[in-house]
Amino acid sequence: TAIGFLMEYEQMSFPESIQEIADHVGMIVPVTQSFSTTPATQSLYDLLDKVSQYYVQQLQVHPQREKFVHYLAKRGLSAKTIEHFNIGMAPDGWDNVLKIFGTTDSARKQLNEAGLLSSNDKGRTYDRFRNRIMFPIRDRRGRVIGFGGRVLDDSTPKYLNSPETPVFHKGRELYGLFQARKANRKLERVVIVEGYMDVIALAEYGVTNAVATL
């Protein structure tokens, strides 16, 4: 059925599938508890996806990409695996994402709501992720909901996650679950590992049911 298709292909829950079909044909589903995605939340997903694409592009074209490429190669990752997990890079600099995606007050507000900006005590706003390998975090439907970033030097913290946002709740998500469900039609068992690179390295060697807590 159409509902079964969305549950299998889009990894939606049963009520999410019904809502998706109803939205498509212009029907309103009577509910006692809302489970539909609000327009504001939907635009956060769109923004996070665009930023993820930007990070992927930077890993391919940025003048300082070589140290990031070298690190990933040293960890034994193939181009196919890097593409599969949409690994990217946040270039060094205080306002790369801010300049590209925060051209208006409303856009800057949205960047902040998506957890992509930080502020200091003086009120200065800047990119949260700078000079890091970037790992997009996806929900079970494959939507980008946040990021993890790893430094290549001795900077701290070594790993930096997105903060809690309207679309990202660390306790409810598992990194790599979307990819594991895609690779295994019947995912009956998962291997829980420590972090992003563990999930990715295992996938490189054919272990496609690894996930990491956040």
Side-chain angles (χ1 to χ4, degrees), residues 144-173:
V144 178
I145 54 175
F147 294 95
R150 188 197 193 282
V151 293
L152 301 186
D153 53 24
D154 296 327
S155 303
T156 56
K158 181 179 177 181
Y159 280 96
L160 180 66
N161 278 344
S162 291
E164 295 277 320
T165 72
V167 297
F168 180 50
H169 308 284
K170 297 175 187 178
R172 299 184 199 168
E173 306 294 341

Side-chain angles (χ1 to χ4, degrees), residues 147-211:
F147 294 95
R150 188 197 193 282
V151 293
L152 301 186
D153 53 24
D154 296 327
S155 303
T156 56
K158 181 179 177 181
Y159 280 96
L160 180 66
N161 278 344
S162 291
E164 295 277 320
T165 72
V167 297
F168 180 50
H169 308 284
K170 297 175 187 178
R172 299 184 199 168
E173 306 294 341
L174 290 169
Y175 178 75
L177 182 60
F178 169 71
Q179 289 87 349
R181 291 180 69 176
K182 281 288 189 184
N184 301 273
R185 184 172 176 81
K186 291 185 178 179
L187 186 63
E188 297 175 345
R189 183 174 68 168
V190 295
V191 179
I192 301 176
V193 295
E194 186 179 359
Y196 309 112
M197 284 302 301
D198 300 315
V199 171
I200 296 165
L202 284 168
E204 178 70 42
Y205 290 95
V207 181
T208 59
N209 63 334
V211 298

Side-chain angles (χ1 to χ4, degrees), residues 37-50:
T37 303
T38 64
T41 303
Q42 186 60 50
S43 59
L44 281 188
Y45 290 126
D46 294 339
L47 173 63
L48 286 160
D49 185 65
K50 288 174 184 173

Side-chain angles (χ1 to χ4, degrees), residues 124-165:
R124 182 187 176 191
T125 301
Y126 49 89
D127 289 358
R128 177 179 296 274
F129 298 102
R130 308 177 306 278
N131 199 27
R132 291 176 181 267
I133 290 272
M134 296 301 295
F135 306 95
I137 301 166
R138 297 183 181 274
D139 65 10
R140 58 196 172 85
R141 289 175 56 183
R143 299 173 298 189
V144 178
I145 54 175
F147 294 95
R150 188 197 193 282
V151 293
L152 301 186
D153 53 24
D154 296 327
S155 303
T156 56
K158 181 179 177 181
Y159 280 96
L160 180 66
N161 278 344
S162 291
E164 295 277 320
T165 72

Side-chain angles (χ1 to χ4, degrees), residues 91-109:
D92 200 9
W94 292 98
D95 58 0
N96 293 300
V97 167
L98 187 58
K99 280 194 296 188
I100 295 170
F101 298 97
T103 53
T104 65
D105 287 342
S106 61
R108 286 188 288 274
K109 182 180 177 182

